Amino acid sequence: MATASEAVVAEAYRTPVELPGGTFRMGSEDSDVNPGDGEGPVRETTVAPFVLDAHAVTNARFAAFVGATGHRTEAEHFGWSYVFAAFLPEQLRETSPSPAATPWWRGVEGARWDTPEGPGSALDGRWDHPVTHVSWADAAAFCAWDGGRLPTEAEWEYAARGGLDQARYPWGDELTPGGAHRCNIWQGTFADTDTAEDGYAGTAPVHAYPPNGFGLFNVSGNVWEWTADPWHPRAPGLRAMRGGSYLCHDSYCNRYRVAARTANTPDSTTGNLGFRVARSAP
C-alpha cells in the first residue's frame, strides 16, 4: 500500500492536458523510417478533442492503484519479467535466460513493477519515474480505475507532435538543439556502453526535460508507451507502442521519433515499457 509521501508524489504527476483535436499529418516518409513499421504513407488524420496526461504513469501512482485495488500484474502472475542485462549483478546476469534475438535482455525471476531489477531491488528514489514491467492489460486496468483509457495511436501522435507539422521530434527536427539533450535515449555504443550524456542511465523522472508545445513530457525516449490499438489488422495479437525508450539508439532503433512505432504481445512486460492515461473530452 502506498505511503502518505508516495501518495503526494502520485498526485503531483496526475496532470491532465485538454487537447483541442483537429486534422494533422500523421506518419513519416523520411529517411529514418524503419522498413516494415508502417509509419507511412503520410496521411491527413483527424482526432476529436480529448484529454491526455502530461506525464507517464509514475511508480507512485501505480502503487496507489495497487493499494486501492489489490491488482497483481501479469509479471507477478508469470513470476518473471525482462530486465536490461547491464542493470543486473553479475551472478543474476549470468544465470538468467536471454532471448537469442535480443541478448541484452534477461528474463529475471522476481522482476516486477516494484522490484524492477528483480530480488533485492526497490523503488527508492524512483517514485517519480515511470512505472515499468506492466502489460497492456495492466495498463488498461489502471486506466479504467483512474477514469480513463489508453490513447489511440492517432491521439498519441497528435499529442506528441505538440502542434508541429511533420517535425521528427516533439521539439523540432534537430535531436540536440544547441547541444542540449531533450530526451532520455542511449548515448555511446549499444549495447555495451551508455555514456548517459543526457543525464540518465535507465529511466528518468517523468518530468525530466522540457515539455512539448502541448505541455506533454517525455513523449520521446524514457519508456515505450502502450496504445489502445492493434499493430496491424493482419496482426491483431500485437499491440502498438509509441515513443521509444532509454535503450533506443540510432544504430539499431531510432524509434524515439514522433512518427515511429513498434509492437509487442499484450502480455509482454519489460523494464522499458509503461503508459499514460487518456480520457474523453469533458
Side-chain angles (χ1 to χ4, degrees), residues 165-200:
D165 177 48
Q166 283 292 292
R168 286 187 174 184
Y169 309 110
W171 54 86
D173 288 321
E174 188 177 351
L175 180 59
T176 54
H181 289 281
R182 300 294 297 271
C183 64
N184 178 21
I185 56 176
W186 188 281
Q187 292 90 44
T189 304
F190 189 83
D192 299 320
T193 304
D194 182 6
T195 62
E197 292 173 12
D198 56 27
Y200 301 96

Side-chain angles (χ1 to χ4, degrees), residues 47-80:
V47 295
F50 68 105
V51 177
L52 188 65
D53 280 0
H55 308 94
V57 172
T58 61
N59 287 312
R61 285 183 69 190
F62 202 80
F65 161 63
V66 170
T69 66
H71 181 86
R72 295 186 71 235
T73 61
E74 291 204 77
E76 292 172 79
H77 286 289
F78 298 150
W80 66 278

Side-chain angles (χ1 to χ4, degrees), residues 169-257:
Y169 309 110
W171 54 86
D173 288 321
E174 188 177 351
L175 180 59
T176 54
H181 289 281
R182 300 294 297 271
C183 64
N184 178 21
I185 56 176
W186 188 281
Q187 292 90 44
T189 304
F190 189 83
D192 299 320
T193 304
D194 182 6
T195 62
E197 292 173 12
D198 56 27
Y200 301 96
T203 58
V206 297
H207 53 88
Y209 310 104
N212 73 359
F214 287 153
L216 304 179
F217 292 78
N218 288 329
V219 283
S220 281
N222 213 18
V223 294
W224 283 103
E225 297 183 12
W226 288 113
T227 73
D229 293 342
W231 169 245
H232 190 278
R234 292 194 296 271
L238 298 176
R239 291 285 173 173
M241 310 187 308
R242 289 297 197 116
S245 83
Y246 60 83
L247 294 179
C248 281
H249 185 265
D250 62 8
S251 65
Y252 89 104
C253 173
N254 62 359
R255 295 183 178 92
Y256 41 85
R257 297 169 294 105

Side-chain angles (χ1 to χ4, degrees), residues 41 108 266 277:
V108 176
V277 180

